[in-house]
């Protein structure tokens, strides 16, 4: 059962890293579930402080992920349409990977720009707001990725520490 929990936990942590880029998956919380599964094994001693602190970090990242893009859009004069455009652009980049890895960067920007144009902004204002929305999106994504990678490091370190007992 311990091996099963470790494997499922590892899959959760990896899914959390992928979720850092995909808006439909909450990256940090899924990675945290992987840590929880690891600590539920009989081999790894329970560390409720570690789980509690990482849970708080995970929740804070989810909240920040909603606040940062909005703040970036507002800071650069954007609207809700710019935020919606950013999200649509990200979904387009995932569903239609036309430009490969560059698409995940380019399409949200294009989406925010088009969203601002739909909001009847002139092209200069739309470009500025699109940049703010895009910058907020990148900041949120980077934050989620850092936390998910930190959770992976914690997971691997614990598994490595108890590898002789686990395997």
């Amino acid at each position: 059962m311990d091996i099963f929990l470790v494997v499922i936990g590892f899959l959760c942590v990896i899914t959390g890293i992928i979720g850092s880029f995909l808006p439909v998956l909450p990256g940090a919380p899924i990675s945290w579930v992987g840590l929880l599964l690891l600590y539920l094994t009989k081999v790894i001693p329970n560390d409720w402080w570690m789980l509690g602190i990482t849970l708080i970090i995970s929740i804070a990242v989810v909240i920040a992920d909603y606040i940062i893009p909005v703040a970036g859009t507002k800071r650069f004069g954007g609207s809700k349409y710019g935020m919606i455009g950013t999200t649509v652009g990200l979904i387009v980049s995932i569903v239609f990977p036309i430009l490969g890895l560059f698409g995940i960067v380019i399409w949200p920007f294009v989406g925010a720009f088009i969203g601002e144009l739909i909001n009847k902004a002139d092209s200069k204002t739309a470009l500025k707001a699109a940049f703010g929305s895009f910058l907020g999106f990148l900041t949120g994504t980077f934050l989620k990725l850092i936390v998910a990678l930190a959770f992976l490091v914690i997971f691997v370190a614990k598994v490595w520490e108890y590898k002789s007992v686990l395997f």
Side-chain angles (χ1 to χ4, degrees):
M1 187 61 158
D2 287 343
I3 300 270
F4 178 74
L5 287 173
V6 169
V7 168
I8 297 299
F10 182 72
L11 290 175
C12 284
V13 171
I14 296 300
T15 303
I17 292 171
I18 294 168
S20 298
F21 298 101
L22 303 177
V24 295
L25 292 175
I30 292 174
S31 289
W32 183 82
V33 169
L35 287 177
L36 176 65
L37 291 173
L38 178 66
Y39 279 99
L40 289 177
T41 63
K42 293 178 183 170
V43 175
I44 310 289
N46 291 337
D47 186 352
W48 298 111
W49 281 103
M50 168 74 96
L51 287 174
I53 291 169
T54 53
L55 177 62
I56 291 168
I57 290 170
S58 179
I59 292 169
V61 165
V62 169
I63 292 169
D65 189 41
Y66 287 105
I67 294 171
I68 291 172
V70 171
T73 302
K74 286 183 180 179
R75 170 83 170 94
F76 286 86
S79 68
K80 186 184 252 185
Y81 289 96
M83 286 300 306
I84 293 170
T86 301
T87 305
V88 169
L90 179 64
I91 292 169
V92 166
S93 73
I94 294 166
V95 175
F96 305 107
I98 296 170
L99 300 174
L101 290 177
F102 295 110
I104 206 159
V105 174
I106 293 170
W107 290 117
F109 179 83
V110 170
F113 182 73
I114 292 171
E116 291 299 333
L117 288 178
I118 290 172
N119 191 37
K120 305 202 187 319
D122 62 86
S123 60
K124 183 179 178 185
T125 305
L127 189 61
K128 185 178 175 185
F131 179 73
S133 179
F134 174 69
L135 195 60
F137 163 75
L138 281 182
T139 303
T141 300
F142 180 71
L143 182 64
K144 291 185 293 187
L145 179 63
I146 293 299
V147 169
L149 288 173
F151 288 177
L152 174 66
V153 168
I154 293 168
F155 187 94
V156 169
K158 279 295 172 188
V159 169
W160 187 260
E161 183 179 346
Y162 292 96
K163 70 179 185 252
S164 61
V165 183
L166 274 172
F167 304 106

